[in-house]
Amino acid sequence: MSAKDKAKAKAEQAKGKLKETTGKVTRDRSMEAEGRAEKAKGDVREAADKGRDTLKRKRGR
């Protein structure tokens, strides 16, 4: 995973967590759900990048 992709995934996860927490505190369910979705999107992006890295390493051997 390139550093740029990793940073993008982590930023997306952090932004989602912040929205989720803000939604909980303000009792704004739509913001909370939006935050959860954004965090999940970051998780998926990170997992996909890790999978690509694993395939690259296995092909290199």
Side-chain angles (χ1 to χ4, degrees):
M1 175 173 4
S2 74
K4 183 179 176 184
D5 291 336
K6 186 174 183 177
K8 191 172 183 178
K10 289 294 182 183
E12 204 162 33
Q13 290 169 336
K15 186 177 172 186
K17 183 66 176 171
L18 180 63
K19 275 186 181 181
E20 182 181 1
T21 302
T22 302
K24 282 181 184 178
V25 169
T26 61
R27 295 183 181 172
D28 184 348
R29 289 180 184 227
S30 65
M31 182 182 281
E32 187 178 347
E34 188 178 320
R36 272 196 304 269
E38 200 164 327
K39 186 174 172 239
K41 187 177 173 185
D43 291 343
V44 168
R45 183 185 308 272
E46 185 177 36
D49 288 340
K50 284 183 180 180
R52 268 191 296 255
D53 286 346
T54 300
L55 287 174
K56 284 180 185 178
R57 275 183 267 154
K58 286 190 178 196
R59 287 183 190 169
R61 288 184 179 177

